[in-house]
Amino acid sequence: MKQITPEKSVRGRRILVVEDEFLIAEDLCAALEDLGAVSLGPVSTVDDALAIVRSPGALDAATLDVELRREKSYPVAEALQELGLPFVFLTGYDAEAFPNHLRSAPRCQKPFNAREIAEALFRG
Amino acid sequence: MPFPANGEMARRVRRQDWTTSPLGPTEEWPASLLSATDIVLSSGFPMILIWGRDLTVAAYNDAYRPLLGDKPEALGRGFLDVWSEARDTIGPEIEEVLKGRTVWRKEALFILRRNEGMPEQAWFDYQFSPVHDEAGNIAGILNAAVEVTDRKRAERELTSTEARFRQFGAASPDALWIRDAGTLEWEYLSPSFDRIYGISREDALASRSIDFLMSLILPEDRDATRAAIEELHAADRSYAYRIRRPSDGEIRWLRTTGFPLPDPSGTVQRLGGITQDITEEKRAADRQAVLVAELQHRTRNLLGVVRAMASRTLKTSASLEDFGDRFAARLAALARANGLLSRLGEGERVSFDELLRTELLGHGLIDGEIHSDQVSLCGPPGIPLPSATVQTVGLAVHELLTNATKHGALGTPDGHLSIEWTLEDGAVPHLAVEWRESGVRVSRPAGAPHSESGYGRQLIERALPHQLGAETRYELEPDGLRCVVRLPVPQRDRNEADHA
C-alpha cells in the first residue's frame, strides 16, 4: 500500500461512524479526528444512520460496522451506494458472506486502523 | 466260480473264513445269497448285504468301506453289532424290512463311533430292502447307503452364516443394502432402512428403481449422488446427501459408504452399502462453525474495546503509574464480565444481580453473601441481561464503584450506597436500576466531577443509551450521586451473539 499521507485527503471530511459498541465508536471518532476529519455520530442503528445519510449534503463518507445490535448495516451501505458516497465496512469476521451487490465494497478488519480506513475511503 | 467281481472287498469276501460264521462256508451258500453277494460286490454304489436270522454281514463293497471308518472287520459279524451305536434307529427299521417293506430315509442323522471311538455326527441317505431266497421267503436285507455329511455340514454352515448376516442387518442402526450393479435396483435392505429413509422396505423394494431413491433426495444433491453410486462399480467411497424423509417431511443428512461386490471371477454383479443418518453430526458441525466465527468476532471486538479503554485511560492519566493502576482495574472488570459470559451454557443469560455481586466482590465490597454495612442491595434475583449488554453494564458498574470508593459514599465513614432494581413489564421488559449515594460530604462543587469520574458518567450517559437503547440519568445531588438507568431486556435478541 502506497503511503500517500491520508491526512491530506481526509482533512475536513465529514465521516459518519456507524458502530454499536460505544467504546470502539468513540475511539474511532477520536482517531479520525486525529487525522483531521470531522466525525459524525456515532450512531448504533440503521435508522439513525439513514436519517443522517439522507440529509442532503450532511456527510462525505462513512464507516459501517457490519453487525449492529439487532441488524446488519447493509441498508446504510445501499443508501450510500445510491448517493455515490464512499464507505468502508468494519468486520470482526475473517470471511463474511456479503450479498452480491456489496461484495466489492471495501472492508477493514477490526480492531480498526484509522489510516487504513482513510486509505480505503479516499484512495482515488 | 463264486464272486467273479474284482476289487479289494471281493478278495476279502473270498478269503474270509466263513466256516465259523452262521452262514457257513461259501460252498454251502444258497444261490440267492451268492447272487446277492455278487450284485453288492460289483456295484459302485455303497451297499452291504445282511443275511440270515442273525443278520450276518455277508458282503459289502469298496464304496461302502469308508462308511465303516476304523471299525473292526464287519464281514461275518452281526449287522446290529457292527452298527451298535445306531441300533435304536435301525433295529426297528430292520424289523419292518423283515415284514416285507422297504425302508427309505433321507438325510438321517446318526452319532457314530468309527474314528478311534470318538462320537461324530453323520448324515445318510439310505435304504433297507428285503432279499428273497429260492423259496420266496425273506432271507436277507440289502442296505444301500450314501453318506451326505459333507454336504449337510456345508448347508448348515451356509445357514448359520446367513442367519448371522440377517441378525447383523436386523440389529444394525445403520441401513445395509445391496443393489444390482447393472440395473441399480435394490436387492436387499436391512430393517433400519424404514427409520432412516422414512419409508417401508416393502414399498422401496416394490418400486426397486433407483429413480425412487432419487425422488427422495433433494434436487440439488441428486446429480452428485447418482454419480457417486455409479463410481461404486470401480471402488468404495463415501458420499453424503440430503433427503426429505416421507414419514415426517423432515430434511435429513445421510452418509453412505458404498463398495463393489465382485463375484469370484472378479465381475462386479452387485453393489453394497451402509447408510447412516448424520443429521445430528452435521448440526453439531454447523453449530461449531458458527461458534468459532462468533468467538472470532467477539475476540476482535474485545480487542477493540481494550484499545479504546487504553487510549481513553491514557488521555486522563497524570502519570504512567496512574495509567497502570486504572487500566489494570478496568481490564479486570472487563475480564470479570467476560468470565461470566464464558461460563454460560447455550441459551443461558447472566442475571443483573449476578453481575452486580461479581463487581462488588471484585472491589472487595462484599465477601460472599455478607454485605458491607455501607452497601445495601434490593431487587429481585435472576433478571436476565441480554449477553451483548453484560460487558458495558459491567464496566459502568465498575466505574461507579470506583468513583464511590475514591470520592463518594464508600470513601467516607458515614456514606451509604443503596442499589435498588426492579423489572418493569411491558411489550419489551425493562430493568430499572436506581443507584443512590448518601452521606457524602460535599467537598467539591457539584456538577464539576473529578476528571476520572467522567468515564463512569460517560458510560452511563452515552454508552448505555448508544449501545443498549437505555434511558439514563446521572445527577450529583447535595449528599451524593443519584443515577437511574432503564435498560430494555428483551426476552430474546435476534442478532445477539448469545450462544456463548
Side-chain angles (χ1 to χ4, degrees):
Chain A
M1 207 182 290
K2 209 172 132 212
Q3 206 63 20
I4 48 136
T5 56
E7 287 91 323
K8 210 168 178 183
S9 48
V10 171
R11 188 161 299 135
R13 305 285 193 134
R14 293 156 304 166
I15 304 173
L16 172 64
V17 172
V18 182
E19 162 67 62
D20 62 346
E21 183 65 54
F22 180 78
L23 298 177
I24 295 175
E26 194 212 17
D27 197 27
L28 178 53
C29 288
L32 291 173
E33 303 229 330
D34 285 350
L35 289 179
V38 175
S39 69
L40 302 179
V43 294
S44 62
T45 64
V46 167
D47 284 350
D48 289 352
L50 286 178
I52 295 174
V53 170
R54 285 178 182 151
S55 331
L59 75 166
D60 299 309
T63 74
L64 308 178
D65 176 28
V66 182
E67 295 282 344
L68 298 176
R69 184 153 41 103
R70 293 173 204 282
E71 57 204 349
K72 288 189 188 280
S73 60
Y74 299 154
V76 185
E78 286 155 11
L80 290 161
Q81 262 182 343
E82 274 174 38
L83 294 168
L85 291 175
F87 61 90
V88 58
F89 280 120
L90 293 184
T91 171
Y93 296 100
D94 273 349
E96 181 145 357
F98 282 88
N100 268 332
H101 62 289
L102 296 174
R103 203 154 284 168
S104 57
R107 58 189 90 157
C108 291
Q109 289 274 334
K110 286 179 172 182
F112 69 84
N113 173 319
R115 281 175 173 274
E116 200 184 303
I117 290 172
E119 187 84 13
L121 289 175
F122 305 111
R123 82 176 100 224
Chain B
M1 176 182 138
F3 327 131
N6 294 320
E8 170 64 18
M9 284 317 299
R11 270 195 299 279
R12 284 205 212 170
V13 172
R14 278 195 290 265
R15 280 197 212 124
Q16 177 78 14
D17 177 11
W18 294 101
T19 51
T20 57
S21 87
L23 298 182
T26 47
E27 295 77 28
E28 293 171 14
W29 287 11
S32 51
L33 172 55
L34 288 174
S35 80
T37 301
D38 220 24
I39 288 166
V40 167
L41 290 177
S42 14
S43 172
F45 200 82
M47 283 196 231
I48 186 167
L49 177 66
I50 305 156
W51 201 263
R53 197 178 295 277
D54 300 312
L55 303 175
T56 307
V57 173
Y60 59 93
N61 58 19
D62 291 346
Y64 191 90
R65 263 173 64 206
L67 273 55
L68 290 161
D70 62 6
K71 282 173 181 292
E73 178 55 80
L75 289 175
R77 294 169 59 209
F79 183 74
L80 292 179
D81 290 338
V82 173
W83 291 116
S84 58
E85 65 266 51
R87 185 192 288 264
D88 289 351
T89 307
I90 57 181
E93 289 172 355
I94 285 173
E95 291 298 320
E96 289 296 302
V97 180
L98 293 175
K99 289 176 194 157
R101 300 194 187 97
T102 292
V103 172
W104 188 86
R105 291 188 62 198
K106 247 182 109 63
E107 297 185 352
L109 170 65
F110 293 94
I111 308 296
L112 300 184
R113 292 172 183 276
R114 56 180 179 181
N115 180 18
E116 295 177 349
M118 300 296 293
E120 60 176 291
Q121 290 188 318
W123 286 265
F124 295 89
D125 292 345
Y126 68 89
Q127 165 184 305
F128 287 114
S129 52
V131 182
H132 298 87
D133 63 12
E134 290 75 359
N137 300 316
I138 295 172
I141 296 170
L142 198 60
N143 170 215
V146 180
E147 178 158 7
V148 295
T149 303
D150 288 350
R151 190 184 80 205
K152 209 54 198 169
R153 284 227 173 90
E155 274 175 20
R156 276 166 67 121
E157 182 71 19
L158 205 60
T159 311
S160 76
T161 303
E162 238 181 67
R164 266 206 301 269
F165 177 72
R166 260 200 306 275
Q167 188 191 21
F168 182 76
S172 166
D174 299 341
L176 315 184
W177 53 260
I178 296 173
R179 291 180 188 287
D180 183 289
T183 63
L184 296 181
E185 289 175 351
W186 272 316
E187 291 185 352
Y188 166 77
L189 295 170
S190 73
S192 290
F193 177 89
D194 300 42
R195 182 176 44 78
I196 290 177
Y197 284 86
I199 44 168
S200 76
R201 281 182 294 162
E202 288 69 29
D203 291 350
L205 287 169
S207 51
R208 292 164 168 271
S209 159
I210 181 103
D211 296 337
F212 182 68
L213 171 64
M214 288 298 145
S215 73
L216 302 179
I217 295 177
L218 297 196
E220 53 268 45
D221 290 355
R222 275 177 203 162
D223 290 348
T225 307
R226 181 70 195 239
I229 293 173
E230 294 289 352
E231 284 175 30
L232 297 181
H233 290 84
D236 62 292
R237 56 165 298 174
S238 270
Y239 49 96
Y241 50 95
R242 289 161 294 174
I243 60 161
R244 187 179 291 283
R245 193 164 59 183
S247 54
D248 55 8
E250 246 193 68
I251 291 176
R252 305 295 294 183
W253 271 100
L254 304 186
R255 178 166 50 227
T256 291
T257 300
F259 35 82
L261 294 171
D263 65 14
S265 75
T267 314
V268 175
Q269 303 278 16
R270 295 189 168 80
L271 305 175
I274 300 167
T275 299
Q276 177 180 24
D277 187 317
I278 55 164
T279 311
E280 296 312 317
E281 279 169 51
K282 277 274 185 191
R283 278 188 191 145
D286 289 351
R287 210 156 40 224
Q288 191 160 23
V290 169
L291 285 179
V292 168
E294 199 46 57
L295 183 65
Q296 189 185 48
H297 181 251
R298 276 196 192 188
T299 306
R300 289 182 180 282
N301 216 54
L302 192 58
L303 285 173
V305 169
V306 169
R307 193 177 68 181
M309 248 171 43
S311 56
R312 168 71 203 214
T313 310
L314 200 56
K315 277 179 189 160
T316 57
S317 291
S319 67
L320 208 53
E321 197 186 357
D322 182 27
F323 168 82
D325 290 347
R326 285 191 296 133
F327 183 67
R330 284 171 179 167
L331 205 55
L334 201 57
R336 285 193 292 271
N338 280 279
L340 288 177
L341 288 171
S342 67
R343 281 196 291 275
L344 294 182
E346 199 175 322
E348 288 178 347
R349 294 283 183 84
V350 174
S351 68
F352 176 69
D353 57 302
E354 196 182 358
L355 183 60
L356 194 56
R357 280 171 213 282
T358 303
E359 277 309 306
L360 287 166
L361 201 62
H363 283 254
L365 293 169
I366 57 169
D367 179 7
E369 291 299 305
I370 304 153
H371 298 172
S372 141
D373 291 342
Q374 285 186 280
V375 181
S376 60
L377 305 181
C378 182
I383 297 175
L385 291 173
S387 292
T389 71
V390 170
Q391 193 169 289
T392 310
V393 173
L395 277 179
V397 171
H398 165 74
E399 291 301 322
L400 290 179
L401 283 175
T402 304
N403 293 345
T405 307
K406 290 192 174 166
H407 321 289
L410 304 180
T412 61
D414 305 329
H416 186 82
L417 166 62
S418 138
I419 306 168
E420 292 181 20
W421 68 95
T422 177
L423 185 67
E424 295 174 356
D425 281 335
V428 177
H430 279 68
L431 167 67
V433 184
E434 182 173 5
W435 177 291
R436 170 161 252 159
E437 295 179 32
S438 56
V440 180
R441 294 196 193 92
V442 184
S443 59
R444 57 192 158 81
H450 187 278
S451 69
E452 191 181 302
S453 68
Y455 196 37
R457 179 169 199 159
Q458 191 188 22
L459 286 175
I460 299 291
E461 289 187 325
R462 295 189 59 203
L464 295 183
H466 173 89
Q467 187 163 342
L468 312 173
E471 300 159 28
T472 63
R473 269 180 28 222
Y474 185 100
E475 287 162 6
L476 282 167
E477 295 185 343
D479 67 338
L481 170 67
R482 181 168 178 266
C483 173
V484 179
V485 173
R486 277 185 83 245
L487 181 72
V489 284
Q491 295 305 306
R492 217 71 196 110
D493 209 336
R494 180 196 72 82
N495 197 28
E496 208 184 325
D498 219 36
H499 21 236

